[in-house]
């Protein structure tokens, strides 16, 4: 033992235990929890590794961690207060750390790479396009999941949720609903029309947003292009005769920003239980013809399925980060547990301090 170690004591190894895998391992200096878990052979859910996708969300049961970037870009304040962390951004501080993570979706195949051609776009609103890709072979996914799209020449991949219900044999033609982000490298090129017939790489499926098997009421909230994974999930649930009360709240700015309304109504008509569709407009001119709900979509969650048992209900949300955070607050205020709220936050590079 060196003189310094004998004077100050040998540095204690840091141990980590991950439930439900029941595997524990030793951390190397400056490793993140995700890096160490993957090295230990744990199939730990992850995708971006930079703290934006939320795939590695886990709950800290024992010990403290240092955060490489603010968990608040991706997690809500309620989740952070309840002990949730992002394993890809967490470095343990204490000799013992215990975390739990929800395992990967069991029905989803492992992600693979596909080559694809962007075969068409269609304007759904002034700033949302339906984008169609033709793949080299069919891709299988679980309703609600997303893919990584990589355009040659761009620094990194972008995440987009499948807008269609999956098919048993996989889908060779896939659609996404993509919103234009001012100043965004991929979406500016897409909306300028430059990418029609472009070759892309698609990698997937990814993600934890899928319908949990349950008979309790489900409250869904979509904002903007966040409608894509919810349409996929609800369409699939309708085909498979899922029987549970469902509220679908769709937040948009004005009537011109509502889209796929007939498709949502068709899902409502074929749903095996009660289904309430509630579009909510935040910026519709006061003197317009709109007779529906006005305000922030998250303010209307109690109107859609009045009298439900919020303690057993589940929440499903996709869209802009602010809407998701407000939705988590509204749902937990009603008594829904944080563990029963599932979402994909459509973060972009402006939400991360670590993006290039
Ligand atoms: C799980 C998941 C699923 C998603 N699904 C969808 C979907 O179905 N549909 C959809 O429309 N979107 C979805 N998104 C969002 C999408 O992946 C992209 O983030 C978005 O399309 C932006 O791509 P872009 O290349 O146009 O913008 P980017 O080039 O990523 O830029 C985004 C914004 O950040 C700014 N910016 C760039 N770099 C920095 C920096 N270093 N610091 C600060 N600001 C910066 C840019 O000026 C721009 O305003 C999803 C996101 C996630 C995480
Ligand atoms: S892998 Fe940790 S947030 Fe994406």
């Amino acid at each position: 033992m060196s003189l310094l170690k004998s004077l100050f004591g040998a540095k204690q190894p840091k141990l980590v235990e991950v439930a439900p895998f029941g595997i524990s391992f030793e951390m190397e200096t400056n490793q993140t929890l995700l890096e160490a878990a993957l090295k230990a052979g744990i199939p730990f859910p992850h995708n971006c590794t930079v703290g934006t996708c939320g795939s590695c969300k886990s709950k800290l049961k024992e010990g403290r961690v240092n955060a490489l970037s603010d968990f608040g870009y991706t997690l809500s304040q309620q989740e952070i207060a309840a002990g949730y962390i992002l394993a890809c951004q967490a470095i343990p501080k204490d000799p013992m750390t215990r975390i739990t993570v929800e395992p990967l979706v069991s029905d989803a195949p492992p992600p693979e790479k596909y080559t694809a051609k962007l075969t068409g776009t269609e304007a759904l609103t002034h700033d949302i396009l339906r984008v169609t890709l033709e793949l080299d072979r069919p891709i299988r996914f679980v309703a609600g999941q997303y893919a990584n799209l990589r355009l040659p020449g761009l620094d990194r991949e972008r995440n987009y949720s499948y807008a269609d219900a999956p098919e048993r044999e996989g889908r060779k033609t896939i659609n996404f609903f993509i919103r234009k982000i001012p100043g965004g490298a991929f979406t500016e090129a897409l909306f300028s029309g430059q990418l029609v017939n472009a070759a892309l790489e698609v990698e997937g499926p990814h993600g934890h947003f899928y319908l949990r098997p349950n008979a309790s009421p489900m409250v869904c909230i979509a904002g903007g292009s966040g409608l894509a994974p919810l349409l996929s999930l609800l369409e699939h649930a309708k085909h498979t005769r899922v029987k549970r009360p469902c509220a679908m709240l769709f937040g948009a700015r004005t009537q011109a920003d509502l889209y796929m309304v007939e498709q949502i109504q068709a899902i409502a008509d074929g749903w095996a239980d009660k289904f309430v569709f509630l579009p909510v407009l935040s910026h519709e001119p006061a003197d317009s013809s709109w007779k529906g709900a006005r305000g922030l979509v998250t303010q209307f969650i109690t109107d859609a399925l009045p009298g439900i048992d919020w303690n057993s209900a589940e929440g499903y949300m996709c869209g802009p980060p602010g809407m998701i955070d407000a939705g988590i607050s509204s749902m937990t205020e009603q008594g829904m547990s944080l563990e029963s709220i599932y979402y994909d936050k459509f973060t972009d590079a402006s939400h991360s301090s670590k993006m290039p």
Side-chain angles (χ1 to χ4, degrees):
M1 196 182 281
S2 73
L3 178 63
L4 274 179
K5 277 192 179 167
S6 62
L7 284 175
F8 295 102
K11 212 172 171 193
Q12 220 181 345
K14 287 182 179 151
L15 277 178
V16 177
E17 197 175 280
V18 182
F21 301 101
I23 300 175
S24 42
F25 50 87
E26 234 175 75
M27 296 289 302
E28 287 168 22
T29 314
N30 290 334
Q31 250 184 342
T32 64
L33 279 169
L34 176 67
E35 285 163 347
L38 294 176
K39 201 168 171 207
I42 296 176
F44 205 100
H46 69 287
N47 183 19
C48 71
T49 74
V50 292
T52 54
C53 75
S55 300
C56 66
K57 183 173 98 174
S58 16
K59 197 164 186 183
L60 198 56
K61 295 288 190 182
E62 184 181 331
R64 294 165 303 159
V65 295
N66 281 325
L68 289 180
S69 68
D70 186 354
F71 295 151
Y73 288 121
T74 305
L75 302 180
S76 70
Q77 287 314 309
Q78 283 94 332
E79 287 172 315
I80 293 169
Y84 283 95
I85 57 166
L86 296 173
C88 72
Q89 298 300 297
I91 298 191
K93 277 170 88 171
D94 295 321
M96 186 69 212
T97 308
R98 285 199 172 83
I99 55 172
T100 53
V101 66
E102 192 183 10
L104 293 161
V105 199
S106 56
D107 310 350
E112 284 179 36
K113 288 188 173 148
Y114 300 76
T115 52
K117 186 171 156 185
L118 197 156
T119 50
T121 60
E122 180 199 344
L124 297 172
T125 70
H126 77 283
D127 66 350
I128 298 179
L129 287 181
R130 185 209 312 265
V131 177
T132 307
L133 264 61
E134 200 62 33
L135 305 184
D136 58 342
R137 62 192 193 283
I139 187 169
R140 288 199 304 117
F141 57 90
V142 168
Q145 287 194 292
Y146 64 89
N148 293 341
L149 263 58
R150 186 178 281 277
L151 181 68
L154 270 199
D155 52 341
R156 62 189 158 78
E157 61 218 7
R158 303 315 195 248
N159 320 113
Y160 295 107
S161 307
Y162 304 100
D164 309 291
E167 282 175 1
R168 197 188 298 270
E169 309 307 326
R171 275 185 175 274
K172 221 169 159 230
T173 305
I174 52 175
N175 289 288
F176 301 105
F177 299 163
I178 301 187
R179 192 168 74 87
K180 184 176 181 178
I181 304 290
F186 180 71
T187 57
E188 290 277 14
L190 180 70
F191 276 73
S192 72
Q194 292 168 41
L195 300 187
V196 176
N197 291 326
L200 296 143
E201 183 187 275
V202 171
E203 193 220 359
H206 286 286
H208 259 63
F209 186 73
Y210 65 97
L211 188 64
R212 272 60 178 180
N214 204 329
S216 62
M218 51 192 282
V219 179
C220 308
I221 308 182
S225 53
L227 186 58
L230 277 160
L231 265 190
S232 168
L233 184 150
L234 293 174
E235 190 73 54
H236 184 64
K238 187 189 86 172
H239 289 328
T240 52
R241 303 294 294 162
V242 165
K243 193 166 164 38
R244 54 192 296 188
C246 179
M248 171 65 210
L249 287 86
F250 183 17
R253 288 173 63 84
T254 66
Q255 289 191 67
D257 298 305
L258 290 173
Y259 64 100
M260 305 298 281
V261 168
E262 283 171 15
Q263 286 78 354
I264 303 172
Q265 198 50 55
I267 293 172
D269 295 343
W271 195 254
D273 204 316
K274 180 173 178 169
F275 190 109
V276 180
F277 171 40
L278 185 59
V280 182
L281 303 183
S282 59
H283 290 74
E284 178 68 7
D287 56 356
S288 83
S289 61
W290 179 249
K291 300 274 186 294
R294 291 170 184 265
L296 293 177
V297 63
T298 51
Q299 295 167 334
F300 288 84
I301 60 164
T302 49
D303 296 28
L305 290 175
I308 58 166
D309 173 14
W310 282 91
N311 295 313
S312 69
E314 289 184 324
Y316 291 89
M317 294 186 283
C318 282
M323 184 204 83
I324 305 283
D325 289 343
I328 293 175
S329 291
S330 309
M331 289 177 177
T332 50
E333 268 166 32
Q334 296 305 317
M336 193 183 276
S337 97
L338 267 180
E339 280 75 22
S340 303
I341 302 177
Y342 309 103
Y343 63 84
D344 265 343
K345 231 181 217 189
F346 285 8
T347 48
D348 60 47
S350 61
H351 298 104
S352 171
S353 57
K354 290 194 79 195
M355 289 285 184

